[in-house]
Amino acid sequence: MKVKLTIWRQKNPDSKGQFITYPVDVVNGEMSMLECLDVLNETLMGRGEEPVAFEHDCREGICGSCGFMINGIAHGPLPATTVCQLTMRHFKDGDELVLEPWRSRSFPLVKDLVVDRRSFDRIIQAGGYVSVSTGNAPDGNAIPVGKEIADRAMDAAACIGCGACVAACPNGSAALFTGAKIAHLGILPQGKPEQDRRAVRMVAQMNVEGFGSCTNIGECTGVCPKEIPLEEIARMNRDYLLGAWRERGNVVTAIAPVTDWNFGEK
Amino acid sequence: MGKVTAMMNLDARIPTGPIEEAWDSARFEMKLVNPANKRRHSLIVVGSGLAGASASATLGELGYNVKCFCFQDSPRRAHSIAAQGGINAAKNYQNDGDSIYRLFYDTVKGGDFRAREGNVYRLAQNSVHIIDQCVAQGVPFAREYGGSLDNRSFGGAQVSRTFYARGQTGQQLLLGAYQALERQVDTGQVTMIPRTEMLDLVVIDGQARGIVARNLITGKLTVHLAEAVILATGGYGNVYYLSTNAKGSNATAIWRAHRRGALFANPCFTQIHPTCIPVSGDYQSKLTLMSESLRNDGRIWVPKQKGDKRPPNEIPEDERDYYLERRYPSFGNLVPRDVASRNAKAICDEGRGVGETGLGVYLDLSDAIARLGVETIRERYGNLFDMYQRITDEDPYKVPMRIYPAIHYTMGGLWVDYQLQSNVPGLFVLGEANFSDHGANRLGASALMQGLSDGYFIIPYTVGNYLASTKLSKVTASHPEAQAALASTQQGVAKLLAIRGKRTVDSFHRELGKIMWDDCGMSRNAAGLKEAIGKIRALREEFWQNLNVTGSGDDLNQSLEKAGRVADFLELGELLCIDALERNESCGGHFREEYQTPDGEAQRDDEHFSYVAAWGYTGAGKPWDLTKEPLEFAYVHPSQRSYK
Ligand SMILES: Cc1cc2nc3c(=O)[nH]c(=O)nc-3n(C[C@H](O)[C@H](O)[C@H](O)COP(=O)(O)OP(=O)(O)OC[C@H]3O[C@@H](n4cnc5c(N)ncnc54)[C@H](O)[C@@H]3O)c2cc1C
Ligand code: SF4
Ligand code: FES
């Protein structure tokens, strides 16, 4: 079978991008979307052209590296599936697929389908952890955690940080990603002591990064490869309101967003 | 000259005295860094997987200035994220007879008596602290209804000591370590440098003092200096091209350190996982693991008749060969990974493999489905079945799964002593990148344990000891050795871009992988290995004549990144075969066809090969130097493994 891939090509943030269409032979249905791009890239390099830059690593749907829009849908048409796990049998001969990078103010473009998602790391830096240094821990069974609670925490903790939720949201909100972490840690007894501070700082950081606000549209959960539920956003809002009240008067320190790649060097 | 050469006797610095007290007494003897002085010390950690992230976070907590590097866009994406099954710990929460000693014993035996007892004992001791630490960080381990931690048995272990978080244990452990790391980034103790690849080690006055790294976005090469360098860059399974490893996993950091004098130990100890989804075509980019836990309820079989093309459901019971149950009546389908893999290969070599390519065997859960019901099976393996169906479009509830072995893990790596320091002073190596604890075969759920033991609980002590007891001169990036390393790295990158030949990096990588898999994979023999060495040398020659890397060196260029890694694999592949050829015995994952028992099992030769093979680099195209570190077993007496 043959498909046409219309791909956003842009050499760097400063250059002008454009769509270019490439025909690709699909060997069999077991081939993944990324393997299709591999095949295309081999052809491009054979012609002396630059291959399409795209991110990937595990190719098992767990590292969160991969992701782009396929015909306007983040990670493509199959629910709960990253592009690395999207097999070509879901398309048919002659299909035309438009591949575009995540578009968000807070994910500046790097090249072709690659964007900069360091804003997510900074949201975690702002409190997405339990402050327990190595060596400080009590026995693992010292604090019982009910199965239902552990399962709920695990549901939220399954987020892979891919950014599809942001790309799908008309407001470019990072509420699902941030909410998932606030929920994961807030549900567990280990995360309780820092619940207020965490919610306040993480939400503040989300705003500093320029992510839009959540208006409950729900596109995010629809494209989320891990099916993180909207419930996590509700939990975030609750923790935030409560936290903002209880932490009032405390200064909230935000982390300065960095968009260059110099790592503090000239 | 920016390199450590003179090879003396290898001193592994294993503490003497009773093994139970060895780590305690070693810690007591270590020199401490005054707390006020810690912030004056700078450390480089390369890698942000379980080993690197846990080390960076802990060293940051202690007050050191840490720079942590990874090549992905975020430290959270390290290959550790993909581990599924679980992590072992000798907690004995199940009261089923586990103990630190038993975990130690199982690991030494499972490694086929090719690991150091002292290291393994310490690993078993640390295992219990790891679970505590991870729970405190908020890792959502599976729980019982009563609220206590749940365990399962894994990889044929006779006790339930494996802790897990659904099928995503690696993800949750890594996120715990990643979050601890980001906390230190927030406090300013750790500077995280993602999308940056280490391409050389800077050695000054015989001490590791820094790295040369390439910014993958700008292409800029920079010298980063520190007082010690810690490599936690993962394994080298991708030398086989197709493996269960992440696509980016590579050997470049450890290989470039090897070229600067660090010894490479036991490269031929590679692990092949028996239950992976078979290859479906030439375009295939990686192999997907199906968790080992499936073997708890699945039966493995092939048709008795060669070339039997009937669909599995039409093959009657008496025309099926349940070969593992037949050959290993007591362990059956639960034999260790190496044994299961070798048998699958042998069956397919006979022409009895299944599927379009003939390289597959059935893993059949229909008996278990009949016995326990679909619902129970769905609860146990639902996510695995979904994954299988997603890839193959076959419904494993109705049709037996097809599986085939694949490269999964590398036990070999840079040589380290008990302090996890390589033979290059100031160069420490953690996690899968070192060779330390698994001998010739790693047990399931033990890699995560080792990575975190190294990072959370060993390196914080041993690097402090090094800093407190070593005289380090002040150096700057303008030091001639640093500048020389920078210049040679620059030339290396330029050379790859200048070839402008006809073949892509992937085509070389695939060809190398095929040589490695055919001649140095599940079973090896002297003739094949010699041939492979010749083929690899020829391929390497062609690589440097005929490689085609498009684009430039001053922006994001993923094929240039790959080219550097494949260039290193082309050298490492040769050493792997040389090591396999030198080791005239079969042990663990290393099966030499010439050395087997009359009934086809691995035949170890303790009299001649009870040692760690540590290889020293002597120059491009020159033979490697072999140094042997003898292994002694005072606690677990070497015996022939038998699973009959
Ligand atoms: C599919 C799968 C399932 C597994 N399941 C289990 C399991 O259930 N239980 C278990 O115990 N083990 C399991 N393992 C093994 C285990 O996951 C790994 O051995 C372990 O995670 C390795 O961790 P690490 O920290 O040493 O390295 P990695 O996690 O591989 O991290 C390497 C790090 O080094 C960085 N890096 C590499 N090279 C460079 C360079 N040149 N410059 C800069 N940075 C670099 C990378 O960016 C990354 O951050 C599994 C492995 C696979 C493949
Ligand atoms: S919430 Fe879902 S879509 Fe958003 S980053 Fe996490 S996994 Fe990706
Ligand atoms: S490549 Fe890791 S999630 Fe797709």
Side-chain angles (χ1 to χ4, degrees), chain A residues 30 42 57 81 89 111 121 125 134 139-140 181 184 201 261, chain B residues 61 93 132 138 178-179 186 215 247-248 390-391 504 556:
Chain A
E30 224 166 278
E42 290 289 295
D57 199 19
T81 306
R89 74 172 63 90
K111 183 175 186 173
D121 287 329
Q125 273 160 40
T134 306
D139 184 82
K181 189 48 63 191
H184 157 212
R201 261 196 94 198
W261 293 96
Chain B
E61 288 160 7
Y93 283 153
D132 300 341
Y178 156 76
Q179 288 163 197
D186 186 35
N215 182 317
K247 286 294 284 176
R390 204 195 282 276
I391 293 176
T504 61
L556 178 64

PDB file of all heavy atoms in Angstrom, chain A residues 30 42 57 81 89 111 121 125 134 139-140 181 184 201 261, chain B residues 61 93 132 138 178-179 186 215 247-248 390-391 504 556:
ATOM      1  N   GLU A  30       1.984  -4.101  10.057  1.00  0.00           N
ATOM      2  CA  GLU A  30       2.650  -4.158  11.350  1.00  0.00           C
ATOM      3  C   GLU A  30       3.628  -2.994  11.534  1.00  0.00           C
ATOM      4  O   GLU A  30       4.088  -2.713  12.633  1.00  0.00           O
ATOM      5  CB  GLU A  30       3.378  -5.501  11.497  1.00  0.00           C
ATOM      6  CG  GLU A  30       3.178  -6.116  12.852  1.00  0.00           C
ATOM      7  CD  GLU A  30       3.596  -7.574  12.937  1.00  0.00           C
ATOM      8  OE1 GLU A  30       2.808  -8.465  12.538  1.00  0.00           O
ATOM      9  OE2 GLU A  30       4.699  -7.815  13.417  1.00  0.00           O
ATOM     10  N   GLU A  42      15.364   7.136   4.891  1.00  0.00           N
ATOM     11  CA  GLU A  42      16.391   6.410   4.133  1.00  0.00           C
ATOM     12  C   GLU A  42      16.364   6.875   2.677  1.00  0.00           C
ATOM     13  O   GLU A  42      17.409   7.095   2.065  1.00  0.00           O
ATOM     14  CB  GLU A  42      16.154   4.897   4.207  1.00  0.00           C
ATOM     15  CG  GLU A  42      16.416   4.282   5.581  1.00  0.00           C
ATOM     16  CD  GLU A  42      17.894   4.229   5.942  1.00  0.00           C
ATOM     17  OE1 GLU A  42      18.653   3.512   5.263  1.00  0.00           O
ATOM     18  OE2 GLU A  42      18.301   4.919   6.900  1.00  0.00           O
ATOM     19  N   ASP A  57      12.298   7.384  21.167  1.00  0.00           N
ATOM     20  CA  ASP A  57      13.361   6.642  21.837  1.00  0.00           C
ATOM     21  C   ASP A  57      12.892   5.223  22.133  1.00  0.00           C
ATOM     22  O   ASP A  57      13.318   4.281  21.482  1.00  0.00           O
ATOM     23  CB  ASP A  57      13.849   7.350  23.105  1.00  0.00           C
ATOM     24  CG  ASP A  57      15.232   6.863  23.538  1.00  0.00           C
ATOM     25  OD1 ASP A  57      15.935   6.270  22.694  1.00  0.00           O
ATOM     26  OD2 ASP A  57      15.633   7.062  24.704  1.00  0.00           O
ATOM     27  N   THR A  81      -3.045   5.842  22.105  1.00  0.00           N
ATOM     28  CA  THR A  81      -1.901   5.313  21.362  1.00  0.00           C
ATOM     29  C   THR A  81      -0.955   6.438  20.955  1.00  0.00           C
ATOM     30  O   THR A  81      -1.381   7.425  20.367  1.00  0.00           O
ATOM     31  CB  THR A  81      -2.403   4.604  20.090  1.00  0.00           C
ATOM     32  OG1 THR A  81      -3.370   3.630  20.467  1.00  0.00           O
ATOM     33  CG2 THR A  81      -1.264   3.920  19.359  1.00  0.00           C
ATOM     34  N   ARG A  89      -1.733  -0.331   9.735  1.00  0.00           N
ATOM     35  CA  ARG A  89      -2.956  -1.008   9.290  1.00  0.00           C
ATOM     36  C   ARG A  89      -4.203  -0.167   9.556  1.00  0.00           C
ATOM     37  O   ARG A  89      -5.266  -0.476   9.067  1.00  0.00           O
ATOM     38  CB  ARG A  89      -3.081  -2.386   9.938  1.00  0.00           C
ATOM     39  CG  ARG A  89      -3.480  -2.393  11.399  1.00  0.00           C
ATOM     40  CD  ARG A  89      -3.770  -3.811  11.875  1.00  0.00           C
ATOM     41  NE  ARG A  89      -2.548  -4.620  11.782  1.00  0.00           N
ATOM     42  CZ  ARG A  89      -1.669  -4.732  12.769  1.00  0.00           C
ATOM     43  NH1 ARG A  89      -1.859  -4.119  13.911  1.00  0.00           N
ATOM     44  NH2 ARG A  89      -0.599  -5.468  12.614  1.00  0.00           N
ATOM     45  N   LYS A 111      13.034  21.899  15.277  1.00  0.00           N
ATOM     46  CA  LYS A 111      13.276  21.561  13.869  1.00  0.00           C
ATOM     47  C   LYS A 111      12.194  20.588  13.412  1.00  0.00           C
ATOM     48  O   LYS A 111      11.843  19.674  14.167  1.00  0.00           O
ATOM     49  CB  LYS A 111      14.652  20.904  13.740  1.00  0.00           C
ATOM     50  CG  LYS A 111      15.060  20.577  12.317  1.00  0.00           C
ATOM     51  CD  LYS A 111      16.496  20.035  12.273  1.00  0.00           C
ATOM     52  CE  LYS A 111      16.945  19.852  10.846  1.00  0.00           C
ATOM     53  NZ  LYS A 111      18.356  19.483  10.747  1.00  0.00           N
ATOM     54  N   ASP A 121       9.476  20.133  32.387  1.00  0.00           N
ATOM     55  CA  ASP A 121      10.454  19.846  33.457  1.00  0.00           C
ATOM     56  C   ASP A 121      10.412  20.929  34.529  1.00  0.00           C
ATOM     57  O   ASP A 121      10.514  20.643  35.722  1.00  0.00           O
ATOM     58  CB  ASP A 121      11.878  19.763  32.883  1.00  0.00           C
ATOM     59  CG  ASP A 121      12.109  18.481  32.085  1.00  0.00           C
ATOM     60  OD1 ASP A 121      11.485  17.453  32.422  1.00  0.00           O
ATOM     61  OD2 ASP A 121      12.900  18.504  31.120  1.00  0.00           O
ATOM     62  N   GLN A 125       9.939  20.840  38.482  1.00  0.00           N
ATOM     63  CA  GLN A 125      10.890  21.487  39.407  1.00  0.00           C
ATOM     64  C   GLN A 125      10.190  22.339  40.452  1.00  0.00           C
ATOM     65  O   GLN A 125      10.663  22.512  41.559  1.00  0.00           O
ATOM     66  CB  GLN A 125      11.831  22.420  38.628  1.00  0.00           C
ATOM     67  CG  GLN A 125      13.063  21.762  38.077  1.00  0.00           C
ATOM     68  CD  GLN A 125      13.656  22.610  36.950  1.00  0.00           C
ATOM     69  OE1 GLN A 125      13.699  23.833  37.025  1.00  0.00           O
ATOM     70  NE2 GLN A 125      14.099  21.946  35.904  1.00  0.00           N
ATOM     71  N   THR A 134      17.662  11.046  50.258  1.00  0.00           N
ATOM     72  CA  THR A 134      18.054   9.647  50.376  1.00  0.00           C
ATOM     73  C   THR A 134      18.523   9.345  51.794  1.00  0.00           C
ATOM     74  O   THR A 134      19.345  10.082  52.347  1.00  0.00           O
ATOM     75  CB  THR A 134      19.186   9.324  49.387  1.00  0.00           C
ATOM     76  OG1 THR A 134      18.752   9.727  48.094  1.00  0.00           O
ATOM     77  CG2 THR A 134      19.521   7.845  49.376  1.00  0.00           C
ATOM     78  N   ASP A 139      10.481   2.453  56.986  1.00  0.00           N
ATOM     79  CA  ASP A 139      10.228   1.188  56.304  1.00  0.00           C
ATOM     80  C   ASP A 139       9.057   1.319  55.336  1.00  0.00           C
ATOM     81  O   ASP A 139       8.064   2.005  55.631  1.00  0.00           O
ATOM     82  CB  ASP A 139       9.927   0.095  57.331  1.00  0.00           C
ATOM     83  CG  ASP A 139       9.745  -1.255  56.651  1.00  0.00           C
ATOM     84  OD1 ASP A 139      10.769  -1.902  56.366  1.00  0.00           O
ATOM     85  OD2 ASP A 139       8.579  -1.632  56.362  1.00  0.00           O
ATOM     86  N   GLY A 140       9.166   0.644  54.205  1.00  0.00           N
ATOM     87  CA  GLY A 140       8.163   0.755  53.153  1.00  0.00           C
ATOM     88  C   GLY A 140       6.753   0.433  53.599  1.00  0.00           C
ATOM     89  O   GLY A 140       5.785   0.954  53.049  1.00  0.00           O
ATOM     90  N   LYS A 181       0.213  15.181  37.965  1.00  0.00           N
ATOM     91  CA  LYS A 181       1.284  15.079  38.982  1.00  0.00           C
ATOM     92  C   LYS A 181       0.787  15.509  40.356  1.00  0.00           C
ATOM     93  O   LYS A 181       1.069  14.869  41.377  1.00  0.00           O
ATOM     94  CB  LYS A 181       2.500  15.908  38.547  1.00  0.00           C
ATOM     95  CG  LYS A 181       3.760  15.744  39.389  1.00  0.00           C
ATOM     96  CD  LYS A 181       4.142  14.291  39.665  1.00  0.00           C
ATOM     97  CE  LYS A 181       4.469  13.496  38.425  1.00  0.00           C
ATOM     98  NZ  LYS A 181       4.571  12.036  38.694  1.00  0.00           N
ATOM     99  N   HIS A 184      -1.318  12.575  41.561  1.00  0.00           N
ATOM    100  CA  HIS A 184      -0.507  11.415  41.936  1.00  0.00           C
ATOM    101  C   HIS A 184       0.072  11.592  43.339  1.00  0.00           C
ATOM    102  O   HIS A 184      -0.069  10.731  44.197  1.00  0.00           O
ATOM    103  CB  HIS A 184       0.593  11.196  40.880  1.00  0.00           C
ATOM    104  CG  HIS A 184       1.792  10.430  41.356  1.00  0.00           C
ATOM    105  ND1 HIS A 184       3.057  10.640  40.878  1.00  0.00           N
ATOM    106  CD2 HIS A 184       1.930   9.444  42.279  1.00  0.00           C
ATOM    107  CE1 HIS A 184       3.912   9.831  41.477  1.00  0.00           C
ATOM    108  NE2 HIS A 184       3.262   9.090  42.334  1.00  0.00           N
ATOM    109  N   ARG A 201       2.657  26.319  43.746  1.00  0.00           N
ATOM    110  CA  ARG A 201       3.853  26.608  42.940  1.00  0.00           C
ATOM    111  C   ARG A 201       3.751  26.039  41.533  1.00  0.00           C
ATOM    112  O   ARG A 201       4.155  26.659  40.561  1.00  0.00           O
ATOM    113  CB  ARG A 201       5.094  26.014  43.628  1.00  0.00           C
ATOM    114  CG  ARG A 201       5.877  27.029  44.423  1.00  0.00           C
ATOM    115  CD  ARG A 201       7.265  26.497  44.747  1.00  0.00           C
ATOM    116  NE  ARG A 201       8.264  26.907  43.779  1.00  0.00           N
ATOM    117  CZ  ARG A 201       9.451  26.304  43.649  1.00  0.00           C
ATOM    118  NH1 ARG A 201       9.757  25.262  44.382  1.00  0.00           N
ATOM    119  NH2 ARG A 201      10.316  26.743  42.757  1.00  0.00           N
ATOM    120  N   TRP A 261      19.568  27.399  24.112  1.00  0.00           N
ATOM    121  CA  TRP A 261      20.185  26.101  24.386  1.00  0.00           C
ATOM    122  C   TRP A 261      21.640  26.269  24.807  1.00  0.00           C
ATOM    123  O   TRP A 261      22.477  25.421  24.504  1.00  0.00           O
ATOM    124  CB  TRP A 261      20.081  25.185  23.159  1.00  0.00           C
ATOM    125  CG  TRP A 261      18.666  24.797  22.878  1.00  0.00           C
ATOM    126  CD1 TRP A 261      17.807  25.388  22.007  1.00  0.00           C
ATOM    127  CD2 TRP A 261      17.929  23.741  23.505  1.00  0.00           C
ATOM    128  NE1 TRP A 261      16.587  24.776  22.060  1.00  0.00           N
ATOM    129  CE2 TRP A 261      16.631  23.753  22.959  1.00  0.00           C
ATOM    130  CE3 TRP A 261      18.244  22.782  24.478  1.00  0.00           C
ATOM    131  CZ2 TRP A 261      15.638  22.848  23.355  1.00  0.00           C
ATOM    132  CZ3 TRP A 261      17.264  21.884  24.863  1.00  0.00           C
ATOM    133  CH2 TRP A 261      15.980  21.924  24.300  1.00  0.00           C
TER     134      TRP A 261
ATOM    135  N   GLU B  61      21.749  16.466  47.091  1.00  0.00           N
ATOM    136  CA  GLU B  61      21.248  16.570  48.472  1.00  0.00           C
ATOM    137  C   GLU B  61      22.408  16.723  49.456  1.00  0.00           C
ATOM    138  O   GLU B  61      22.310  17.426  50.461  1.00  0.00           O
ATOM    139  CB  GLU B  61      20.433  15.320  48.839  1.00  0.00           C
ATOM    140  CG  GLU B  61      19.073  15.243  48.146  1.00  0.00           C
ATOM    141  CD  GLU B  61      18.497  13.823  48.110  1.00  0.00           C
ATOM    142  OE1 GLU B  61      19.089  12.903  48.736  1.00  0.00           O
ATOM    143  OE2 GLU B  61      17.470  13.629  47.432  1.00  0.00           O
ATOM    144  N   TYR B  93       8.780  -9.619  53.207  1.00  0.00           N
ATOM    145  CA  TYR B  93       7.438  -9.232  53.692  1.00  0.00           C
ATOM    146  C   TYR B  93       6.463 -10.398  53.598  1.00  0.00           C
ATOM    147  O   TYR B  93       5.463 -10.438  54.302  1.00  0.00           O
ATOM    148  CB  TYR B  93       6.875  -8.079  52.849  1.00  0.00           C
ATOM    149  CG  TYR B  93       7.444  -6.702  53.164  1.00  0.00           C
ATOM    150  CD1 TYR B  93       7.466  -5.717  52.180  1.00  0.00           C
ATOM    151  CD2 TYR B  93       7.922  -6.376  54.438  1.00  0.00           C
ATOM    152  CE1 TYR B  93       7.955  -4.438  52.442  1.00  0.00           C
ATOM    153  CE2 TYR B  93       8.418  -5.108  54.699  1.00  0.00           C
ATOM    154  CZ  TYR B  93       8.428  -4.148  53.705  1.00  0.00           C
ATOM    155  OH  TYR B  93       8.908  -2.885  53.965  1.00  0.00           O
ATOM    156  N   ASP B 132      12.258   1.288  50.580  1.00  0.00           N
ATOM    157  CA  ASP B 132      11.866   2.331  51.537  1.00  0.00           C
ATOM    158  C   ASP B 132      11.967   3.714  50.893  1.00  0.00           C
ATOM    159  O   ASP B 132      11.051   4.530  50.991  1.00  0.00           O
ATOM    160  CB  ASP B 132      12.758   2.294  52.788  1.00  0.00           C
ATOM    161  CG  ASP B 132      12.672   0.953  53.511  1.00  0.00           C
ATOM    162  OD1 ASP B 132      11.696   0.214  53.271  1.00  0.00           O
ATOM    163  OD2 ASP B 132      13.588   0.648  54.305  1.00  0.00           O
ATOM    164  N   GLY B 138       6.949   8.531  46.943  1.00  0.00           N
ATOM    165  CA  GLY B 138       5.623   8.493  46.330  1.00  0.00           C
ATOM    166  C   GLY B 138       5.514   7.549  45.151  1.00  0.00           C
ATOM    167  O   GLY B 138       4.598   7.680  44.345  1.00  0.00           O
ATOM    168  N   TYR B 178      13.698  10.953  39.036  1.00  0.00           N
ATOM    169  CA  TYR B 178      13.660  12.180  38.221  1.00  0.00           C
ATOM    170  C   TYR B 178      13.124  13.350  39.053  1.00  0.00           C
ATOM    171  O   TYR B 178      13.646  14.462  39.014  1.00  0.00           O
ATOM    172  CB  TYR B 178      12.789  11.919  36.995  1.00  0.00           C
ATOM    173  CG  TYR B 178      12.163  13.125  36.325  1.00  0.00           C
ATOM    174  CD1 TYR B 178      12.937  13.970  35.530  1.00  0.00           C
ATOM    175  CD2 TYR B 178      10.808  13.403  36.460  1.00  0.00           C
ATOM    176  CE1 TYR B 178      12.350  15.072  34.902  1.00  0.00           C
ATOM    177  CE2 TYR B 178      10.226  14.499  35.839  1.00  0.00           C
ATOM    178  CZ  TYR B 178      10.997  15.331  35.064  1.00  0.00           C
ATOM    179  OH  TYR B 178      10.419  16.412  34.451  1.00  0.00           O
ATOM    180  N   GLN B 179      12.076  13.074  39.823  1.00  0.00           N
ATOM    181  CA  GLN B 179      11.502  14.147  40.637  1.00  0.00           C
ATOM    182  C   GLN B 179      12.489  14.584  41.725  1.00  0.00           C
ATOM    183  O   GLN B 179      12.630  15.776  41.992  1.00  0.00           O
ATOM    184  CB  GLN B 179      10.166  13.681  41.229  1.00  0.00           C
ATOM    185  CG  GLN B 179       9.086  13.598  40.141  1.00  0.00           C
ATOM    186  CD  GLN B 179       7.865  12.781  40.498  1.00  0.00           C
ATOM    187  OE1 GLN B 179       7.109  12.405  39.610  1.00  0.00           O
ATOM    188  NE2 GLN B 179       7.655  12.495  41.781  1.00  0.00           N
ATOM    189  N   ASP B 186      15.925  22.580  41.214  1.00  0.00           N
ATOM    190  CA  ASP B 186      15.244  23.751  41.767  1.00  0.00           C
ATOM    191  C   ASP B 186      16.102  24.446  42.826  1.00  0.00           C
ATOM    192  O   ASP B 186      16.177  25.670  42.875  1.00  0.00           O
ATOM    193  CB  ASP B 186      13.893  23.327  42.360  1.00  0.00           C
ATOM    194  CG  ASP B 186      13.070  24.506  42.819  1.00  0.00           C
ATOM    195  OD1 ASP B 186      13.138  25.567  42.155  1.00  0.00           O
ATOM    196  OD2 ASP B 186      12.348  24.374  43.821  1.00  0.00           O
ATOM    197  N   ASN B 215      26.500  19.714  22.144  1.00  0.00           N
ATOM    198  CA  ASN B 215      25.135  20.223  22.267  1.00  0.00           C
ATOM    199  C   ASN B 215      24.394  19.788  20.999  1.00  0.00           C
ATOM    200  O   ASN B 215      24.747  20.189  19.894  1.00  0.00           O
ATOM    201  CB  ASN B 215      25.204  21.748  22.382  1.00  0.00           C
ATOM    202  CG  ASN B 215      23.845  22.381  22.552  1.00  0.00           C
ATOM    203  OD1 ASN B 215      22.890  21.988  21.880  1.00  0.00           O
ATOM    204  ND2 ASN B 215      23.757  23.367  23.427  1.00  0.00           N
ATOM    205  N   LYS B 247      15.771   3.158  21.170  1.00  0.00           N
ATOM    206  CA  LYS B 247      16.559   3.376  19.955  1.00  0.00           C
ATOM    207  C   LYS B 247      17.837   4.159  20.232  1.00  0.00           C
ATOM    208  O   LYS B 247      18.852   3.950  19.575  1.00  0.00           O
ATOM    209  CB  LYS B 247      15.723   4.148  18.934  1.00  0.00           C
ATOM    210  CG  LYS B 247      14.642   3.331  18.269  1.00  0.00           C
ATOM    211  CD  LYS B 247      15.178   2.228  17.389  1.00  0.00           C
ATOM    212  CE  LYS B 247      15.716   2.761  16.076  1.00  0.00           C
ATOM    213  NZ  LYS B 247      16.311   1.632  15.292  1.00  0.00           N
ATOM    214  N   GLY B 248      17.775   5.065  21.187  1.00  0.00           N
ATOM    215  CA  GLY B 248      18.945   5.909  21.430  1.00  0.00           C
ATOM    216  C   GLY B 248      20.012   5.269  22.303  1.00  0.00           C
ATOM    217  O   GLY B 248      21.119   5.794  22.415  1.00  0.00           O
ATOM    218  N   ARG B 390      -2.096  -5.097  19.318  1.00  0.00           N
ATOM    219  CA  ARG B 390      -1.827  -3.821  18.664  1.00  0.00           C
ATOM    220  C   ARG B 390      -0.765  -3.977  17.577  1.00  0.00           C
ATOM    221  O   ARG B 390      -0.869  -3.435  16.496  1.00  0.00           O
ATOM    222  CB  ARG B 390      -1.330  -2.852  19.731  1.00  0.00           C
ATOM    223  CG  ARG B 390      -1.523  -1.396  19.443  1.00  0.00           C
ATOM    224  CD  ARG B 390      -0.664  -0.618  20.415  1.00  0.00           C
ATOM    225  NE  ARG B 390      -1.230  -0.517  21.751  1.00  0.00           N
ATOM    226  CZ  ARG B 390      -2.132   0.404  22.095  1.00  0.00           C
ATOM    227  NH1 ARG B 390      -2.559   1.259  21.217  1.00  0.00           N
ATOM    228  NH2 ARG B 390      -2.575   0.473  23.328  1.00  0.00           N
ATOM    229  N   ILE B 391       0.263  -4.759  17.896  1.00  0.00           N
ATOM    230  CA  ILE B 391       1.367  -4.904  16.954  1.00  0.00           C
ATOM    231  C   ILE B 391       1.074  -5.949  15.876  1.00  0.00           C
ATOM    232  O   ILE B 391       1.298  -5.716  14.698  1.00  0.00           O
ATOM    233  CB  ILE B 391       2.680  -5.233  17.716  1.00  0.00           C
ATOM    234  CG1 ILE B 391       3.064  -4.015  18.556  1.00  0.00           C
ATOM    235  CG2 ILE B 391       3.804  -5.610  16.766  1.00  0.00           C
ATOM    236  CD1 ILE B 391       4.267  -4.213  19.438  1.00  0.00           C
ATOM    237  N   THR B 504      23.659   4.737   4.125  1.00  0.00           N
ATOM    238  CA  THR B 504      23.202   5.421   5.328  1.00  0.00           C
ATOM    239  C   THR B 504      23.733   4.723   6.585  1.00  0.00           C
ATOM    240  O   THR B 504      24.133   3.556   6.544  1.00  0.00           O
ATOM    241  CB  THR B 504      21.669   5.414   5.410  1.00  0.00           C
ATOM    242  OG1 THR B 504      21.233   4.060   5.456  1.00  0.00           O
ATOM    243  CG2 THR B 504      21.045   6.124   4.221  1.00  0.00           C
ATOM    244  N   LEU B 556      20.582  20.491  14.830  1.00  0.00           N
ATOM    245  CA  LEU B 556      20.086  19.165  15.174  1.00  0.00           C
ATOM    246  C   LEU B 556      20.250  18.244  13.965  1.00  0.00           C
ATOM    247  O   LEU B 556      19.646  18.469  12.922  1.00  0.00           O
ATOM    248  CB  LEU B 556      18.609  19.262  15.575  1.00  0.00           C
ATOM    249  CG  LEU B 556      17.928  17.935  15.911  1.00  0.00           C
ATOM    250  CD1 LEU B 556      18.545  17.298  17.143  1.00  0.00           C
ATOM    251  CD2 LEU B 556      16.429  18.135  16.152  1.00  0.00           C
TER     252      LEU B 556
END
